Amino acid sequence: CAGDVKYAHLSEFENASTNLKLFKADLLDYESICSAVEGCIGVFHVASPVPSTKISNPEARLPNYGLFFPINK
């Protein structure tokens, strides 16, 4: 994600160079999400999976990230 022109505006936030890190992760891969949020105090999860194929029983297949990644205190 870093260096991608469509995210360049985010670097303009105050203290972004030290406080903001962008990660790319596969929302259907629990381990890639864990790697992206490891050590974070808070996470703004704004992505939603858009599978390229039909998923049978998506409620069971797609995780509920609100339950897995609460803000650490």
Side-chain angles (χ1 to χ4, degrees):
C1 290
D4 190 326
V5 73
K6 69 181 177 181
Y7 304 113
H9 66 285
L10 297 174
S11 66
E12 296 174 18
F13 285 117
E14 183 178 341
N15 299 318
S17 62
T18 55
N19 295 328
L20 179 66
K21 294 181 182 172
L22 302 177
F23 293 88
K24 187 173 186 175
D26 179 350
L27 294 177
L28 299 178
D29 178 359
Y30 182 80
E31 293 301 319
S32 74
I33 299 295
C34 288
S35 297
V37 301
E38 183 177 354
C40 292
I41 294 170
V43 174
F44 290 96
H45 180 279
V46 296
S48 179
V50 181
S52 60
T53 60
K54 183 175 175 155
I55 295 178
S56 60
N57 195 8
E59 293 81 10
R61 175 76 173 101
L62 302 176
N64 181 343
Y65 293 107
L67 297 176
F68 291 121
F69 301 113
I71 294 177
N72 297 327
K73 294 185 180 184

